[in-house]
């Protein structure tokens, strides 16, 4: 077996029994986890100042490892029958969703070398660093579930989201027209009223914006009593989809991985 | 085929395969969509000032198109066997729910020509312009679903809404009597307390009004723990009704549109 | 048929086909409905002052009718085989739940005649007037459903409410001990913290009281993510019970009232 | 039967028909209940000052009884076949979860005797006194249900909680990066933004922290409409698990306790 094939086997998500690949996965996952912790804790001013040097060293180390991982992926991807051609295959591989995330997650570190260092791009960089969380998606079942769920509930989700949008527009427009004269600063426009409608119909209710006229309170109440059910539909469908997927997975786990027969 | 019959075929919601009618539907739907966008964005002071001329031109153009569409509908509706009589048929057609909406959605533009231009009617006009959203209901499945759902759950909805009303009156009256002396400005009357009850029992909880006496807090807590279930009933029934309708539609789609037999 | 039997037949909830009794029921129900409206609207200072005389006259008229209704009930109740004895039967009848409500709902009007007219009792009177809503319970299906639902879900409700109480005590005690030092005015005692716990775990979230320490926020978050499910149990059980009862009633309605056979 | 065996029989949760043991259980449970009441009411400054002596005497009495109970448990536990060895068996018994709780619940009273009396430990003592609530867990079905539910839903809970965590990190990071510049005091760090995300996605919505930029409001709205379903999963699973357990128990109760056959 060539070195390239070995590297590809190690870098890919481990198959059951492949020890070397598994250790590598655990190493990368731990590094991703520590990166997430670093991103979260470095957002706290206190920790950022206290551990500035440590964060800097850890960032350099992470980017170094992720860069090597990325280069190895690009180099060895031709072992995958789908990307066999040396140049065009590698290019198509690098356009896949996960390799793009891999690249974007390390790019912010290299861009200053090419002169991008103004304030605006720094903010985008911080956003891109968050993509390191997405790198972990390769290894987790829950994340792969999301795709399945959205796929299996696509039609219902579109219908439900359509109704949510319509209810949102209608109720916001009505409330804006009726309440705008009394509270011109708060219900200043239909989009502003939409924020009220979303906070109300999801039952979050921050309390930063609410009607004060009696008639509008009655309108808002009726909207709330009946509309909450429609707004709960997309969330409820996703929730139900996940429960179904989890049960499917459970039943699959009960079937023998060798002969495919169900284990009672 | 007479011109009138052709116009009627084009104006009606397209049957599968009718290209000309379909293009017309897409044109009207796009115009409706742009009208909704215009209503929403023109409610923002900034955009209203910036794009004043554009909004004005677009409004004139929309009313022009919708007016022609309305006149063509009235003219060609006699092709529908239900409205065959030239005068009385057209009158009955124009009293149907959708044509009334069509008319009301363009009326505000013409009324100033007849001298209605005071401030009060202007507000009503803005409300009527919102009816252009309702025009879109002709083309969308989701909207037609609402009717089916309300129809199939009518009895349950009435019972559930009755219980919601009773719980609302009883809990508001109790809280008003007990809390009015301590917070006479906030719990100023039973209707004012109803606003509290709705915000609490739908779990929205704006926080603009809440009890502060210990005894009343206990009463409010018990009401909340048990009453939330009753308040969630109408919304939950509508939600469940939609899921059922969506599943019904899915099963219908699986049956062949030509022979009516189920496609497995 | 004696006069007393006729009166009893009219006063009782109408059996199908009994026209006179039905008109009487509708009259009493309308009066109850108007009383509820009067109680609600007379709580608004503006209407109270505007319509003072009207409210006063209407109150006198209502109490007059309800008193006569009550006396007729007591007089004719001996027609019911369960309350046959002239004295003891009538006494037992007047101790039933509905006649007691009938009496309490008119009592506040008569008490001043016997010298009870201080401020404190006036407040109790207002509470008792609310019982006129309960008088309506005789005629409504929804109200009778509540009893059935609570009965059929008794065991589950007790278990669920027990868990709610335990979760409430444990989470409030923990939060009180941890947050009291930082916000001694807000989290001033365990009962005060219970108000926070109820507002949070029912997801109402008024925002009048919330933790500010990081550790306590984490505790509160975990409590919320898992505890909301337990708090939703009693409400959810009541909701599910009502849906079941409504379905039961629907199936019953489908059976013929004469022969008892099911109508398909 | 030796005295030790008798004591063990009385101290353990009563078997059906064992009167002496049952009276002892009721006595201990009442004492636990009164302790819970005392902990709650002594947290109210007013009651603490009013009834200081009473609380003190009651605390001494409770600790005295619970200490004797604990000593009797340790002494008689060797009657349980699992803890037969006089020394090592007693040691293993005292390391079980319930005896540890028994000990910790009385320890705070004795520690001052050994010189621990600073302010910091006093706060921990108050926390430990709360463990007396946990002592009651021995006697209640609801508490034992929690273990069963968590056990039977373990896998699903881990998956669902994993998704909740991921959604929490991703949405908080995004919002922090986008809103931090506009509200640096409120969205001061990712952990601070997590508190917003939890309050929003559980729909509690205190209103102490919310976005004000239009773009971020849109992001927050989409997160809310779809994310609420995922956040409701752990709570919903626990709720569903409890309903299942309660139904299981009900069916078990319907089987004869003597022959095990189902009673119809």
């Amino acid at each position: 077996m060539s070195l390239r094939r070995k590297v590809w086997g190690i870098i890919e998500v481990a198959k059951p029994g492949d020890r070397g690949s598994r250790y590598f996965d655990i190493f990368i996952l731990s590094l991703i986890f520590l990166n997430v912790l670093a991103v979260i804790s470095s957002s706290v001013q206190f920790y950022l100042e206290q551990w500035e040097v440590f964060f800097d060293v850890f960032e350099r180390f992470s980017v170094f490892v992720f860069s090597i991982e990325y280069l190895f992926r690009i180099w060895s991807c031709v072992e995958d029958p789908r990307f066999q051609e040396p140049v065009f295959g590698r290019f198509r591989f690098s356009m896949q969703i996960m390799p793009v995330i891999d690249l974007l997650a390390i790019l912010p570190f290299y861009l200053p070398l090419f002169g991008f260092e103004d304030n605006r791009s720094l903010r985008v960089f911080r956003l891109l660093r968050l993509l390191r969380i997405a790198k972990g998606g390769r290894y987790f079942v829950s994340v792969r579930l999301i795709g399945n769920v959205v796929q299996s509930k696509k039609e219902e989700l579109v219908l439900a989201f359509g109704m949510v949008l319509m209810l949102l527009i209608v109720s916001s427009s009505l409330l804006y027209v009726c309440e705008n004269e009394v509270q011109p600063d708060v219900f200043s426009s239909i989009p502003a009223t939409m924020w009220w409608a979303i906070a109300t119909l999801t039952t979050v209710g921050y309390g930063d914006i609410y009607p004060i006229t009696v008639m509008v309170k009655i309108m808002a109440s009726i909207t709330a009593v009946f509309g909450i059910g429609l707004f709960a539909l997309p969330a409820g469908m996703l929730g139900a989809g996940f429960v179904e997927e989890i049960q499917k997975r459970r039943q699959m786990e009960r079937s023998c991985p060798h002969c495919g027969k169900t284990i009672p």
Side-chain angles (χ1 to χ4, degrees), chain A:
Chain A
M1 192 156 61
S2 74
L3 179 65
R4 204 170 62 185
R5 173 162 290 275
K6 263 190 196 155
V7 167
W8 178 249
I10 287 171
I11 278 182
E12 278 288 88
V13 175
K15 281 165 198 72
D18 187 347
R19 269 194 152 179
S21 174
R22 218 177 149 205
Y23 288 148
F24 180 79
D25 287 1
I26 290 170
F27 170 66
I28 291 287
L29 256 179
S30 311
L31 197 60
I32 290 170
F33 178 71
L34 291 171
N35 262 277
V36 171
L37 271 190
V39 167
I40 292 176
S41 54
S42 72
S43 77
V44 184
Q45 200 60 28
F46 175 78
Y47 294 132
L48 183 61
E49 280 160 15
Q50 207 86 14
W51 302 339
E52 206 175 3
V53 182
F54 169 78
F55 281 134
D56 197 55
V57 170
F58 180 70
E59 172 70 11
R60 278 158 199 276
F61 172 72
S62 303
V63 169
F64 178 71
V65 172
F66 288 147
S67 302
I68 287 176
E69 184 212 1
Y70 182 69
L71 290 177
F72 272 139
R73 270 186 208 278
I74 296 291
W75 173 59
S76 65
C77 73
V78 290
E79 298 291 336
D80 186 320
R82 287 174 300 163
F83 309 108
Q84 270 179 334
E85 310 92 334
V87 178
F88 189 63
R90 280 197 173 100
F91 174 74
R92 274 195 307 123
F93 175 76
S94 71
M95 288 294 114
Q96 299 285 98
I97 181 94
M98 283 314 290
V100 163
I101 287 174
D102 285 336
L103 181 61
L104 288 175
I106 50 172
L107 212 63
F109 185 82
Y110 295 111
L111 282 186
L113 306 177
F114 302 99
F116 296 88
E117 216 169 346
D118 56 303
N119 223 24
R120 219 198 144 81
S121 36
L122 264 173
R123 208 176 129 199
V124 178
F125 291 176
R126 282 199 292 173
L127 252 173
L128 288 175
R129 269 184 73 197
L130 292 176
L131 281 173
R132 292 186 197 160
I133 304 174
K135 277 174 73 80
R138 225 182 233 119
Y139 306 97
F140 283 121
V141 177
S142 321
V143 176
R144 263 177 284 157
L145 280 182
I146 296 178
N148 294 356
V149 169
V150 170
Q151 196 64 34
S152 73
K153 298 269 169 185
K154 206 172 47 186
E155 231 177 307
E156 282 97 328
L157 279 172
V158 168
L159 263 175
F161 194 62
M163 279 188 287
V164 163
L165 261 181
M166 225 171 283
L167 179 62
L168 192 61
I169 292 174
V170 171
S171 62
S172 304
S173 305
L174 269 176
L175 244 94
Y176 163 70
V177 171
C178 300
E179 188 76 7
N180 172 252
E181 269 171 52
V182 188
Q183 298 189 77
D185 290 338
V186 182
F187 289 82
S188 60
S189 66
I190 293 180
T193 315
M194 278 180 179
W195 177 246
W196 165 84
I198 286 166
T200 299
L201 292 172
T202 57
T203 78
V204 171
Y206 292 122
D208 53 338
I209 164 171
Y210 47 83
I212 54 169
T213 330
V214 172
M215 271 307 297
V216 183
K217 275 183 173 176
I218 292 171
M219 271 170 50
S221 301
I222 293 170
T223 310
V225 170
F226 290 104
I228 284 167
L230 294 187
F231 250 71
L233 278 187
M237 279 165 179
L238 280 180
F242 271 106
V243 172
E244 281 168 26
E245 281 293 322
I246 287 169
Q247 279 170 345
K248 251 193 230 165
R249 279 203 60 235
R250 258 197 152 174
Q251 284 175 333
M252 267 164 35
E253 274 160 8
R254 276 194 198 117
S255 63
C256 168
H258 303 294
C259 65
K261 284 180 189 159
T262 319
I263 298 161

